[in-house]
């Protein structure tokens, strides 16, 4: 909350003095209260040396803390022979609580200073204001003389609007307008990966109201909460990087969430926030409504029969039976009858949990024990390896990045070095591929798989990159071609 | 005040007065090589501006140029009282003679010296009645006299003896400014009488008519010795005129060589006429010597050489680092042995810190 704003100036005879303050009595005690022991926010004599500092330090932001308040200011010193003593120095200061986050305020202070500077440089409004006969200075009898001058009204609007609306638009005349807004910056959203699934939680504004960029226009129809980013990129025929960027924007503006890749080999487990779900009856009802499939016309014979809500106890028991040992297909088979009886949509069942935060996905990783040793020693790599072979041991995304970098490097080098002959084999695989390639493809897949076996890449990532099913992945890993492979869940 | 040790002597000088009286202008002309018409561009001083000015090598002036606005003066007299007024050697108080509020100015002066008496009762007060160029010439002495009388009474009221207070009328447009400040400097220079004594003997040996020692950067005359015929010189203010002329000369040199006024210097300046002959040359690292001789070529040249030889003896007046050498003692008759002999110049110019260039 903004406690006060004041306008101080270096007067040629009085020295540093406050001309205007809002609210009255905040820095210089109002005349009536001068004998009163009522505290002003800040002691003027303590801070005056910093509010009107030496000229060399002027024209930049300046703040000081005193009496548990912070005074943010931007002293401006205008040099011009027309002024008495050749200078006009002033400062518009904002008084806040000491422990308030100052980041949104710095821009406000800068902009206000620039505005006042323009007022004086262009129209000399500040100097002429002081020459007005009816003007009262802070602390004088009859302060504030609201009908005289513009500064007091400005300060008043600033304080009241910023406190009430966090923004203000003050129009002095046709060309002096002050627009201020407190912007609370959010942290930037995390990186989006190819295996994340974007899920829209709010509708996007219609194209009539809000111009969609090209990427969004192309991918919009695929944002259904089922397609992974990679699949969206393929189906919409848009470059992966652009899709990621667009989705990241959506996440940043709270219009989409990132989910994991849904498939029946996945494992889910409740988190500790589940206790919250158990206690919250409203959430249980919401859940019940969301996950039950609408009754089809063939099953409902009696139109008066309202669809019965799934009992909370059932929901709770279903969720709690999800455990790190249970892949989803096993869960469905165990509870098949219950799920069918209440027409529970399994995907929504899981999605509700993950979006609300009380269910989490357990990922699977693979670590090849002796392969890692091989990768670590640089000497094992001989120079005869051609670049495509090297890039095979990396993941698809790394390979793409490498390729682009190599192109850039070649383009920038003055001799135009020969760029890589062909893009890495991963990129070549078209969208319609899906299935496993022929016999030579096996080799390639195995090679690239090696790159993932460092325990840092989840199965989803591998499956997407290599376009293999989970079962096949397990087969390959268990085949012994990679030596001993440790598979663990996290 | 005259310490025996060789280390630098610090002197705190307060420069106070109403806002707009002319304090910063004076300071910039004397110490920063401003010309009178440049000072129009100066801004008001915000709070106190400190300058540390090295003078004659072993004197450090801590000059406090205090802003004269009401709120600053209030602050000096209240919460900064002891900080400002402790250990003051000299207070220079500037009155704007054209001020319409003479009574308020006097009151302000009274409060200031009251505070001064509290913390530095033995300090010296120089009152400068400034902007005299705004007073018609025929009224000048009357105005100054009146003001001085009034202010003397005030000083006496606040406990200062009359010999502690000096009055000077000044203006930046003529040499009166240099006169007043010369007096201030003369008061502050710690070994002024020792220098005078040596100069006296030098003048005798050179058979010079007049010998003037002045500080190189500010062109302020430190001291002078006048002998014989010259004592009848009607121009009593010739020393400050010299300061003024030399200062102007510096500026024109700067313009012609395209350098800063603070960097220009000359090795020697000679003026020869039918009536007299004058030369100005370096004496010590911080001072120049002007010697006025009769119009005789032989003694003129002999004097030049002898001054060069004498440099070494005067150098120790300037030296800061030499330990163990007492400032009061100096070799007797240093120049006597070399007086008439026109010896070949030796390039043993001893300078205290080894710097060969003039400042």
């Amino acid at each position: 909350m903004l406690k006060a704003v004041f306008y101080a100036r270096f007067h040629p005879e009085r020295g540093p003095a406050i001309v205007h303050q809002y609210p009255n009595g905040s820095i210089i005690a109002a005349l009536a209260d001068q004998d009163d022991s009522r505290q002003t926010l800040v002691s003027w004599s303590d801070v005056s040396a910093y509010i009107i500092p030496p000229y060399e330090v002027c024209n930049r932001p300046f703040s000081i803390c005193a009496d548990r308040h912070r005074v943010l200011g931007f002293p401006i010193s205008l040099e011009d022979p027309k002024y008495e003593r050749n200078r006009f120095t002033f400062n518009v200061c904002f008084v806040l609580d000491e422990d308030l986050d100052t980041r949104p305020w710095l821009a406000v202070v800068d902009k206000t200073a620039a505005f006042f500077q323009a007022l004086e440089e262009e129209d000399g409004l500040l100097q002429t204001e002081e020459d007005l006969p009816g003007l009262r200075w802070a602390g004088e009898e009859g302060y504030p003389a609201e009908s005289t001058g513009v500064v007091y009204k400005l300060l008043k609007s600033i304080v009241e609007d910023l406190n009430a609306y966090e923004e203000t638009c003050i129009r002095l005349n046709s060309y002096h307008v002050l627009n201020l807004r407190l912007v609370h910056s959010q942290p930037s959203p995390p990186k989006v990966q190819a295996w994340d699934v974007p899920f829209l939680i709010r509708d996007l504004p219609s194209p009539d109201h809000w111009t969609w960029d090209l990427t969004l226009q192309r991918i919009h129809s695929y944002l259904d909460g089922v397609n992974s980013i990679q699949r969206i990129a393929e189906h919409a025929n848009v470059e992966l990087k652009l899709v990621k960027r667009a989705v990241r924007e959506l996440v940043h503006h709270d219009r989409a969430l990132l989910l994991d890749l849904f498939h029946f080999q996945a494992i889910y487990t409740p988190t500790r926030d589940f206790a919250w779900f158990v206690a919250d009856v409203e959430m249980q009802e919401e859940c019940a409504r969301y996950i039950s499939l609408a009754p089809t016309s063939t099953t409902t014979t009696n139109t008066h029969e309202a669809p019965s809500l799934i009992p909370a106890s059932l929901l709770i028991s279903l969720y709690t039976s999800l455990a790190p040992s249970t892949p989803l297909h096993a869960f469905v088979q165990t509870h098949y009858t219950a799920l069918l009886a209440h027409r529970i949509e399994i995907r929504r069942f899981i999605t509700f949990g993950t979006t609300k935060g009380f269910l989490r996905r357990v990922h699977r990783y693979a670590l090849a024990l002796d392969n890692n040793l091989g990768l670590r020693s640089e000497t094992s790599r001989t120079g005869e390896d051609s670049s495509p072979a090297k890039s095979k041991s990396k993941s698809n995304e790394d390979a793409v990045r490498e390729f682009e970098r190599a192109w850039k490097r070649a383009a920038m080098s003055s001799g135009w070095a020969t760029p890589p002959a062909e893009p890495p084999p991963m990129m070549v695989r078209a969208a319609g591929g899906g299935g496993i390639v022929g016999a030579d493809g096996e080799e390639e897949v195995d090679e690239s798989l090696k790159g993932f076996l460092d325990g840092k890449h989840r199965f989803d990532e591998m499956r997407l990159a290599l376009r293999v099913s989970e079962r096949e992945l397990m087969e390959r890993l268990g085949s012994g071609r990679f030596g001993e492979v440790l598979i663990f869940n996290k | 005040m005259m310490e025996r040790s060789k280390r630098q002597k610090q002197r705190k000088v307060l420069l106070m007065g109403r806002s707009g009286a002319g304090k910063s202008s004076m300071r910039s002309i004397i110490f920063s090589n401003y010309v009178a018409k440049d000072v129009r561009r100066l801004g008001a001083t915000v709070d106190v501006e400190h300058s540390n000015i090295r003078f004659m090598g072993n004197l450090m002036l801590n000059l406090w140029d205090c802003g004269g606005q009401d709120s600053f003066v209030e602050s000096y007299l209240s919460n900064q009282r002891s900080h400002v007024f402790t250990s003051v050697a000299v207070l220079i108080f500037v009155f704007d003679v054209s001020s319409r509020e003479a009574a308020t100015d006097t009151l302000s002066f009274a409060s200031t010296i009251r505070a001064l008496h509290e913390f530095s009762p033995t300090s010296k007060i120089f009152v400068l009645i400034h902007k005299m160029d705004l007073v018609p010439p025929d009224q000048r002495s009357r105005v100054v006299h009146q003001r001085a009388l009034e202010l003397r009474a005030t000083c006496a009221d606040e406990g200062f003896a009359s010999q502690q207070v000096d009055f000077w009328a000044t203006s930046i447009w003529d040499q009166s400014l240099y006169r007043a400040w010369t007096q201030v400097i003369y008061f502050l220079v710690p070994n002024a009488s020792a220098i005078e004594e040596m100069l006296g003997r030098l003048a005798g040996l050179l058979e010079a008519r007049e010998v003037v020692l002045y500080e190189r950067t500010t062109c302020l005359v430190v001291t002078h010795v006048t002998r014989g015929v010259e004592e009848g010189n009607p121009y009593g203010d010739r020393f400050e005129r010299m300061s003024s002329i030399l200062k102007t000369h510096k500026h024109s040199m700067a313009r012609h060589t395209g350098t800063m006024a603070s960097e220009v210097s000359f090795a020697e300046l000679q003026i020869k006429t039918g009536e007299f002959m004058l030369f100005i040359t370096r004496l010590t690292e911080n001072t120049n010597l002007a010697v006025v001789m009769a119009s005789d070529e032989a003694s003129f040249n002999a004097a030049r050489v002898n001054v060069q030889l004498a440099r070494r003896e005067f150098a120790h007046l300037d030296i800061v680092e030499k330990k163990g050498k007492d400032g009061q003692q100096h070799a007797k008759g240093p120049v006597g042995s070399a007086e008439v002999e026109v010896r070949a110049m030796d390039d043993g110019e001893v300078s205290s810190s080894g710097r060969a260039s003039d400042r």
Side-chain angles (χ1 to χ4, degrees):
Chain A
M1 203 193 93
L2 183 57
K3 289 282 183 75
V5 174
F6 63 90
Y7 162 70
R9 170 159 118 76
F10 183 84
H11 190 271
E13 264 122 58
R14 301 194 201 191
I18 296 191
V19 188
H20 286 291
Q21 60 179 353
Y22 183 84
N24 197 10
S26 45
I27 316 290
I28 306 276
L31 195 62
D33 305 326
Q34 263 166 18
D35 306 321
D36 216 331
S37 58
R38 188 165 6 157
Q39 294 282 358
T40 53
L41 291 176
V42 183
S43 156
W44 173 239
S45 52
D46 287 345
V47 300
S48 65
Y50 301 94
I51 302 299
I52 306 287
Y55 309 123
E56 292 84 10
V57 202
C58 282
N59 296 317
R60 63 199 70 174
F62 214 77
S63 75
I64 180 172
C65 286
D67 302 331
R68 280 170 295 115
H69 286 104
R70 190 187 299 265
V71 181
L72 289 176
F74 198 117
I76 304 264
S77 187
L78 300 172
E79 200 175 339
D80 195 307
K82 75 178 185 214
Y83 297 118
E84 205 182 327
R85 309 308 294 277
N86 300 314
R87 264 184 196 273
F88 187 85
T89 312
F90 69 91
N91 196 349
V92 181
C93 297
F94 290 69
V95 183
L96 310 165
D97 269 328
E98 197 172 21
D99 38 19
L100 205 62
D101 180 16
T102 55
R103 278 172 304 170
W105 292 99
L106 300 175
V108 167
V109 172
D110 278 6
K111 211 165 175 193
T112 313
F115 178 75
F116 273 79
Q117 183 174 351
L119 282 185
E120 178 57 28
E121 277 181 340
E122 292 168 23
D123 292 338
L125 284 181
L126 299 177
Q127 176 72 71
T128 49
E129 166 138 342
E130 283 184 36
D131 299 333
L132 291 173
L135 186 76
R136 298 273 173 269
W137 286 51
E140 279 179 7
E141 192 185 324
Y143 183 77
E146 287 197 50
S147 49
T148 320
V150 297
V151 178
Y152 182 75
K153 288 189 281 248
L154 264 175
L155 299 186
K156 182 174 179 183
S157 306
I158 291 175
V159 176
E160 294 188 344
D161 291 349
L162 286 182
N163 279 333
Y165 313 113
E166 290 205 337
E167 63 177 44
T168 182
C169 171
I170 308 170
R171 190 168 278 276
L172 263 190
N173 55 32
S174 59
Y175 49 91
H176 285 303
V177 185
L178 180 60
N179 283 305
L180 297 173
R181 174 182 285 190
L182 287 172
V183 178
H184 301 282
S185 60
Q186 293 147 329
S188 54
K191 277 188 76 174
V192 167
Q193 305 288 2
W195 53 88
D196 287 326
V197 176
F199 177 54
L200 286 176
I201 51 176
R202 274 157 57 193
D203 286 330
L204 294 177
S206 78
D208 310 324
H209 296 298
W210 198 48
T211 320
W212 291 1
D213 72 6
L214 292 175
T215 317
L216 196 57
Q217 283 172 23
R218 292 267 276 266
I219 67 173
H220 175 243
S221 42
Y222 300 99
L223 292 173
D224 55 3
V226 176
N227 289 319
S228 66
I229 299 235
Q230 177 148 329
R231 194 177 291 182
I232 295 174
E234 286 165 18
H235 287 317
N237 202 12
V238 180
E239 210 183 308
L240 193 63
K241 214 171 25 168
L242 296 174
V243 178
K244 281 191 190 175
R245 204 181 292 165
V247 171
R248 202 161 168 219
E249 281 289 314
L250 290 174
V251 171
H252 181 68
H253 290 108
D254 287 332
R255 292 197 179 267
L257 280 180
L258 293 177
L259 302 177
D260 59 282
L261 209 53
F262 180 86
H263 55 91
F264 286 95
Q265 281 77 37
I267 301 174
Y268 294 90
T269 185
T271 66
R272 62 181 177 194
D273 287 340
F274 192 64
W276 182 38
F277 175 77
V278 172
D280 192 338
V281 177
E282 257 182 51
M283 199 189 293
Q284 290 158 12
E285 285 179 14
E286 191 190 337
C287 177
R289 272 192 298 270
Y290 181 70
I291 68 178
S292 70
L293 283 166
T296 57
S297 51
T298 50
T299 50
T300 314
T301 45
N302 192 352
T303 47
H304 296 307
E305 190 187 292
S308 56
L309 226 48
I310 305 165
S313 51
L314 178 64
L315 286 176
I316 293 170
S317 65
L318 280 177
Y319 277 121
T320 46
S321 44
L322 284 170
S325 51
T326 320
L328 204 56
H329 61 85
F331 168 79
V332 171
Q333 279 165 351
T334 319
H335 300 274
Y336 188 72
T337 38
L339 292 172
L340 188 61
H342 294 273
R343 315 193 61 78
I344 293 176
E345 218 264 286
I346 189 68
R347 183 185 283 272
R348 285 196 173 191
F349 177 73
I350 297 294
T351 309
F352 189 86
T354 48
T355 52
K356 292 292 177 185
F358 59 78
L359 210 60
R360 82 173 170 89
R361 168 75 188 275
V362 177
H363 292 283
R364 214 176 246 187
Y365 299 82
L367 177 67
L369 290 172
D370 32 274
N371 204 13
N372 258 340
L373 301 170
L375 280 172
R376 237 172 250 146
S377 58
E378 291 293 312
T379 51
S380 65
R381 290 198 191 166
T382 49
E384 57 212 56
D385 275 5
S386 54
S387 57
K390 265 196 199 149
S391 61
K392 269 184 204 166
S393 58
K394 300 190 178 80
S395 68
N396 184 24
E397 313 219 340
D398 287 345
V400 170
R401 230 177 286 138
E402 270 284 322
F403 177 68
E404 283 182 353
R405 257 189 235 136
W407 259 96
K408 256 193 212 152
R409 227 179 294 135
M412 297 299 195
S413 74
S414 49
W416 183 252
T418 320
E422 53 181 60
M426 290 303 122
M427 268 180 69
V428 175
R429 298 210 183 190
I436 306 165
V437 216
D440 352 288
E442 297 273 341
E443 288 276 313
E444 282 180 28
V445 177
D446 276 353
E447 273 305 305
S448 354
L449 187 51
K450 249 193 220 162
F452 289 115
L453 298 179
D454 59 354
K456 295 195 186 130
H457 302 269
R458 46 182 88 157
F459 266 36
D460 282 352
E461 185 185 342
M462 287 190 236
R463 284 182 47 225
L464 234 97
L466 305 170
R467 296 162 201 284
V468 293
S469 68
E470 181 117 348
R471 196 159 23 105
E472 196 200 320
L473 199 57
M474 293 295 284
E475 264 175 32
R476 284 180 181 264
L477 291 176
S479 65
R481 285 199 290 276
F482 305 98
E484 199 179 324
V485 180
L486 184 67
I487 297 177
F488 57 94
N489 296 342
K490 203 164 55 161
Chain B
M1 191 175 79
M2 300 261 234
E3 290 161 279
R4 299 207 166 236
S5 69
K6 273 294 191 179
R7 59 182 172 81
Q8 238 169 32
K9 290 149 188 92
Q10 306 258 349
R11 295 282 180 261
K12 177 170 166 181
V13 178
L14 294 183
L15 184 54
M16 300 183 117
R18 277 295 305 274
S19 63
K23 311 176 285 293
S24 304
S25 307
M26 276 197 225
R27 178 171 62 89
S28 6
I29 292 177
I30 302 277
F31 298 107
S32 306
N33 287 303
Y34 271 55
V35 203
K37 63 174 161 62
D38 290 343
V39 301
R40 210 171 286 145
R41 291 189 280 112
L42 285 174
T45 312
V46 180
D47 211 2
V48 182
E49 242 167 75
H50 296 271
S51 353
N52 290 311
I53 302 150
R54 204 140 174 266
F55 213 84
M56 297 270 303
N58 59 354
L59 173 67
M60 183 66 99
L61 279 186
N62 301 129
L63 186 62
W64 292 42
D65 182 2
C66 305
Q69 275 71 20
D70 297 338
S71 58
F72 294 138
V73 174
E74 237 176 80
S75 160
Y76 307 145
L77 296 176
S78 55
N79 52 339
Q80 290 190 60
R81 201 178 174 99
S82 60
H83 171 62
V84 172
F85 291 102
T86 313
S87 313
V88 177
V90 169
L91 165 70
I92 304 174
F93 202 95
V94 183
F95 280 96
D96 180 352
V97 81
S98 66
S99 154
R100 305 280 171 99
E101 300 165 14
T104 328
D105 294 350
T106 312
L107 278 174
S108 170
F109 176 65
S111 330
T112 309
I113 60 175
R114 193 174 308 141
L116 183 67
H117 196 262
E118 238 179 84
F119 295 94
S120 311
T122 55
S123 55
K124 174 112 179 179
I125 302 177
F126 284 90
V127 176
L128 302 187
I129 301 175
H130 194 54
K131 302 196 187 171
M132 288 305 295
D133 48 286
L134 298 174
V135 177
D138 49 336
Q139 296 176 22
R140 277 181 199 170
S141 54
R142 182 177 61 80
V143 165
V144 172
H145 183 74
Q146 218 168 351
R147 213 74 174 85
L149 214 60
E150 199 187 317
L151 295 169
R152 263 200 199 285
T154 315
C155 292
D157 286 343
E158 299 298 337
F160 283 97
S162 57
Q163 60 265 31
Q164 279 180 277
V165 190
D166 267 359
F167 290 83
W168 297 96
T170 54
S171 162
I172 55 172
W173 297 101
D174 61 34
Q175 69 277 8
S176 55
L177 183 67
Y178 294 98
R179 179 122 199 244
W181 280 85
T182 302
Q183 301 304 318
V184 175
I185 296 302
Y186 185 74
F187 177 78
L188 289 170
V189 164
N191 48 355
S193 53
I195 300 173
E196 262 167 30
E197 211 223 326
M198 281 181 73
L199 273 184
R201 281 190 284 121
L202 177 63
L205 289 163
L206 297 176
E207 290 185 7
R209 287 195 192 164
E210 188 157 70
V211 159
V212 184
L213 182 73
Y214 69 93
E215 206 271 339
R216 192 172 302 125
T217 355
T218 58
C219 302
L220 289 176
V221 170
V222 181
T223 185
H224 65 90
V225 172
T226 314
R227 293 170 69 243
V229 171
E230 210 60 40
E231 278 166 27
N233 191 324
Y235 294 97
D237 59 351
R238 59 188 180 279
F239 305 106
E240 49 265 28
R241 281 182 192 252
M242 255 186 72
S243 297
S244 181
I245 292 168
L246 286 168
K247 211 57 193 276
T248 318
H249 180 55
K250 258 197 181 200
H251 282 98
S252 62
M253 272 203 288
R255 260 202 314 276
H256 281 274
T257 58
T259 52
M260 305 271 293
S262 49
E263 291 164 5
V264 294
S265 62
F266 54 81
E268 189 170 337
L269 185 145
Q270 291 181 4
I271 299 176
K272 294 183 180 177
T273 74
E275 307 283 324
F276 70 92
M277 286 190 183
L278 161 84
F279 71 91
I280 302 181
T281 185
R282 212 180 84 103
L283 187 65
T284 70
E285 197 192 325
N286 303 290
T287 58
N288 276 3
L289 191 72
V291 180
V292 182
M293 307 284 298
S295 192
D296 168 31
E297 199 70 36
S299 49
F300 182 75
N301 287 320
R304 284 176 60 228
V305 174
N306 282 323
V307 165
Q308 272 175 28
L309 297 172
R311 276 196 194 122
R312 183 192 260 146
E313 300 307 323
F314 283 87
H316 79 249
L317 291 176
D318 248 20
I319 289 171
V320 180
E321 288 100 21
K322 261 204 187 162
K323 296 203 165 99
K325 200 171 179 192
D326 200 313
Q328 299 306 319
Q329 294 169 13
H330 42 265
K332 302 274 185 214
V335 200
S337 52
E339 77 188 72
V340 193
E341 290 186 70
V342 182
R343 259 195 277 158
M345 249 203 291
D346 62 336
D347 39 25
E349 287 186 16
V350 180
S351 81
S352 57
S353 59
R355 270 185 296 156
S357 57
D358 279 359
R359 239 183 301 123

